[in-house]
Amino acid sequence: MRSTPRSRVVVSRSGRRTRWAPVAEALRRALASGSRAAGELLPSTRELASTFGVHRQTIMVALDALCAEGLLRAEPRRGYRVAAPEPGLPPPRPAKSRAAGYTFRIVREPGPIPAAIGAVKYPLHSATPDPSLLPLRELRASYAHVLARHGSSALDAATGAGNPLLVRELLDYLRRARAVLFERMLVTVGSQEGIALAARALLGPGDVVAVEDPGYLPAWQAFRAVGAEVVPVPVDARGLRVDALERLLRRRRVRLVYVTPNHQYPTTVTLSAPRRRALLELTLGHGVPILEDDYDHEYHYRGEPQAPLAASATAPHVLYVASLSKLVAPGVRIGMLCGSGELLDVLERHRQSTVRAGDGVTQAALADWIADGGFERHVRRARRAYAERRDAALAALSRAATKLPLELTPPDGGLAIWVRWPEHDTVELARRALARGVAVLPGPLASIEANSPGMRLAFGRVGPARFAEAVSILASEAKRM
Ligand SMILES: Cc1ncc(COP(=O)(O)O)c(C=O)c1O
């Protein structure tokens, strides 16, 4: 056995400094090279200790490890022998087949995702809520309460449908706040899991899904991941063009319609009441289910938000997803999936092959917080704050619109404003703004036809002063184009 460089110290997985691991690795390599025949006795531990320059005890630990791996056999009072080759192994292959690199055969690759925008001074691209509005003390107390009251049982695996207390609280909340009555719910890992589950259960390769264009890319990705074809339906100032959907339904066999009727993503327009009725009738008539994504229902500033499609008496074919990502924080990963009991059974079984269940501790803590009234207090406060930010954002944009060709319709709700730039290339404008620290979402990045002249400017996370600064940077870049 060749000697190795004098022992080096490595750090074990437990973080302890260990000397035996490099010795064991050197011996392992020597055995793998075939330089010792099966049954051959190794040099004594004393000799090995001198060869490696370590204590005999270190050698013994390394040899014991190799015995445990089946590479050596300890013989009382004689020493350590090379173990016989194990039965059940194929004959050794030529060394070149043991090459270091390996390329996995990927049979399904997701489409490209837009490059992540890192930390920027003016994050207007993503309509995430402002974490500084969250009552952290209350949330901390709810987590502590759950762990104190239930002890380690709070850490038991969560059930597939979600923590029953949270399910009850959320169903009650949907009834009170959104006038929508469901008997059952799956608490999902964000609404994205709900969308992906619906895609897995309802769509097969080549199936057509009708979606709003511009629309929500993460949902399209979930549909495409199961091989479905995502077909655009245009959106105007009153939401989805139901007449265009009707033409599509006549031409193609559509298997699912995905919509964001309340504050359409990304334009924030609200689907009008007549179009809601027409959409429900049309899809029911064609036997096509709707996946309704009601992701930020409460952030509505003009009158009351319209009830979800799922609340209608003619909506047995609507599968409803909602989320706490905007109402609490995107990191809590709590989504809601509601619909017919039979379908939910199937979707719950689908979960068993992926996430199995969500995070039980977070679910129990949120149930506690909602039951205490903290959640609804927070939503009311946040809604007021965002209403003020929306007004301030509209004022900043109206000032800019006196000097620049930009158009907008004040949105009734949402955390963003959709601005149209009829004379500008919005992708180029977004690129220039980003170079100056202003991140925005240009319409073509949220569009299948890629011809949207709009741009989404989110005001939820930045205060009015910073939003106004961002708008003046955007305006100065637009003027230079
Ligand atoms: C249209 C739409 N649906 C759903 C969500 C929420 O997704 P998730 O619950 O997976 O965070 C968002 C963004 O937060 C959204 O913009």
Side-chain angles (χ1 to χ4, degrees):
M1 202 158 292
R2 260 185 298 125
S3 75
T4 61
R6 298 251 131 183
S7 81
R8 72 203 151 81
V9 174
V10 297
V11 177
S12 74
R13 263 179 271 174
S14 64
R16 295 230 310 271
R17 286 148 64 88
T18 146
R19 284 182 185 279
W20 66 266
V23 174
E25 180 52 24
L27 291 171
R28 218 178 269 121
R29 257 189 272 119
L31 291 171
S33 74
S35 63
R36 300 238 161 204
E40 198 177 326
L41 200 58
L42 292 194
S44 72
T45 51
R46 205 178 298 281
E47 279 174 68
L48 288 171
S50 131
T51 308
F52 284 97
V54 295
H55 196 275
R56 245 182 94 207
Q57 196 57 35
T58 306
I59 293 292
M60 309 272 281
V61 176
L63 293 173
D64 274 355
L66 297 197
C67 286
E69 289 171 26
L71 298 175
L72 295 179
R73 193 159 41 81
E75 242 173 54
R77 288 186 299 280
R78 303 218 49 185
Y80 291 83
R81 283 187 192 281
V82 178
E86 224 179 273
L89 287 178
R93 309 201 63 181
K96 82 172 169 24
S97 73
R98 288 190 246 122
Y102 181 79
T103 307
F104 288 91
R105 185 179 78 98
I106 292 169
V107 295
R108 192 172 295 119
E109 219 184 304
I113 51 171
I117 292 179
V120 285
K121 189 160 181 205
Y122 305 100
L124 273 55
H125 58 300
S126 163
T128 45
D130 184 345
S132 74
L133 299 177
L134 268 179
L136 273 186
R137 208 167 335 138
E138 287 179 19
L139 278 172
R140 223 171 23 233
S142 288
Y143 272 91
H145 187 209
V146 161
L147 288 170
R149 195 178 44 193
H150 300 293
S152 52
S153 72
L155 303 171
D156 281 347
T159 62
N163 177 305
L165 294 178
L166 181 63
V167 168
R168 202 184 61 211
E169 290 297 340
L170 289 174
L171 286 174
D172 268 4
Y173 175 74
L174 290 182
R175 183 180 47 72
R176 276 196 311 277
R178 302 189 181 180
V180 60
L181 203 68
F182 292 108
E183 278 172 12
R184 282 187 50 191
M185 165 186 292
L186 296 189
V187 177
T188 53
V189 182
S191 48
Q192 188 63 27
E193 196 216 348
I195 295 169
L197 281 174
R200 283 179 80 194
L202 300 177
L203 301 172
D207 281 350
V208 172
V209 188
V211 300
E212 298 156 329
D213 189 24
Y216 189 49
L217 178 67
W220 305 345
Q221 285 169 328
F223 304 140
R224 287 173 177 149
V226 295
E229 183 191 349
V230 173
V231 177
V233 179
V235 169
D236 66 16
R238 288 164 183 274
L240 182 86
R241 290 289 302 258
V242 184
D243 55 348
L245 176 65
E246 197 257 347
R247 286 193 292 277
L248 175 64
L249 290 180
R250 271 197 272 123
R251 268 192 303 115
R252 311 272 317 256
R253 180 155 192 187
V254 174
R255 294 290 187 176
L256 183 70
V257 176
Y258 166 77
V259 280
T260 52
N262 203 32
H263 320 146
Q264 195 267 336
Y265 182 97
T267 64
T268 67
V269 299
T270 300
L271 187 64
S272 70
R275 286 196 190 177
R276 283 169 192 252
R277 275 193 300 279
L279 174 62
L280 284 169
E281 269 168 35
L282 177 69
T283 46
L284 196 54
H286 279 79
V288 181
I290 292 180
L291 180 59
E292 176 178 23
D293 181 352
D294 196 13
Y295 63 104
D296 68 349
H297 189 97
E298 288 71 9
Y299 298 145
H300 199 83
Y301 318 115
R302 192 163 145 249
E304 287 295 312
Q306 295 193 51
L309 296 173
S312 158
T314 53
H317 60 315
V318 176
L319 184 59
Y320 180 80
V321 292
S323 172
L324 295 189
S325 287
K326 308 279 189 191
L327 298 181
V328 183
V332 301
R333 307 310 300 140
I334 299 282
M336 296 160 243
L337 181 58
C338 308
S340 97
E342 279 159 44
L343 179 56
L344 287 199
D345 283 341
V346 174
L347 298 177
E348 189 178 339
R349 277 187 277 125
H350 268 297
R351 300 193 85 196
Q352 297 304 314
S353 64
T354 54
V355 302
R356 280 223 304 261
D359 169 351
V361 177
T362 290
Q363 292 188 13
L366 283 166
D368 185 83
W369 187 46
I370 298 173
D372 258 9
F375 167 68
E376 278 172 76
R377 265 196 312 277
H378 164 67
V379 171
R380 279 196 299 274
R381 229 181 300 123
R383 201 199 70 83
R384 279 197 299 275
Y386 295 136
E388 281 169 18
R389 289 183 192 185
R390 166 202 176 260
D391 291 347
L394 282 172
L397 285 165
S398 305
R399 284 194 296 277
T402 58
K403 299 177 218 128
L404 275 167
L406 65 86
E407 299 162 4
L408 60 93
T409 312
D412 291 344
L415 295 179
I417 296 171
W418 184 248
V419 176
R420 289 175 301 279
W421 298 85
E423 293 173 20
H424 287 85
D425 171 347
T426 54
V427 174
E428 175 57 16
L429 179 53
R431 200 187 57 72
R432 289 173 181 231
L434 188 59
R436 294 185 58 192
V438 179
V440 298
L441 175 68
L445 294 195
S447 167
I448 295 172
E449 305 273 279
N451 57 4
S452 166
M455 177 181 282
R456 184 170 158 94
L457 302 178
F459 55 77
R461 212 185 165 98
V462 292
R466 272 210 296 153
F467 189 91
E469 281 165 28
V471 169
S472 58
I473 293 172
L474 203 54
S476 75
E477 287 304 320
K479 263 192 220 143
R480 283 209 238 139
M481 280 172 73

